[in-house]
Amino acid sequence: VLSGEVDVALSGDLTEAVTEAERAGLPVEIDARHVTFMDSSGVSMLARLAHRTPGRLTMIEPPDVVRFLLGVTRIGEVVDVVDVDPGFPDDEPPTGGDAA
């Protein structure tokens, strides 16, 4: 989840988060709906994630400022944008055994 200003002041935290995502080796989804600003450090983080994690990077509800950056930098070509939060998959109720 990203929120507020995603700028150079967060570069250490962003680098750590990206490194953890790379180690996990799983597809990445970023909830970006509460981002108010993003500079080149945020764009760099998106590019790194898009190219170093499996599957396509997914951004959930990015605001116009982020969509603009995705377009102007062409990173949007390697990122899927989801306009509605897909949420978590519904858990199936436990089955088995006789209900009393």
Side-chain angles (χ1 to χ4, degrees):
V1 174
L2 292 177
S3 65
E5 296 183 3
V6 180
D7 58 18
V8 71
L10 294 177
S11 63
D13 292 334
L14 291 176
T15 298
E16 184 178 329
V18 169
T19 300
E20 288 179 28
E22 288 174 327
R23 281 191 204 132
L26 299 171
V28 175
E29 294 181 350
I30 298 174
D31 180 341
R33 72 185 97 190
H34 299 292
V35 172
T36 58
F37 173 81
M38 182 179 284
D39 70 4
S40 61
S41 63
V43 173
S44 174
M45 176 265 310
L46 295 176
R48 184 173 167 191
L49 281 172
H51 293 288
R52 294 188 181 180
T53 55
R56 287 179 58 95
L57 175 64
T58 300
M59 295 203 68
I60 301 168
E61 299 183 36
D64 290 343
V65 65
V66 175
R67 289 173 190 262
F68 171 78
L69 291 171
L70 292 174
V72 77
T73 61
R74 301 183 71 179
I75 292 173
E77 295 174 6
V78 294
V79 173
D80 290 332
V81 172
V82 177
D83 291 321
V84 177
D85 184 357
F88 292 103
D90 292 334
D91 291 330
E92 293 293 322
T95 58
D98 293 329

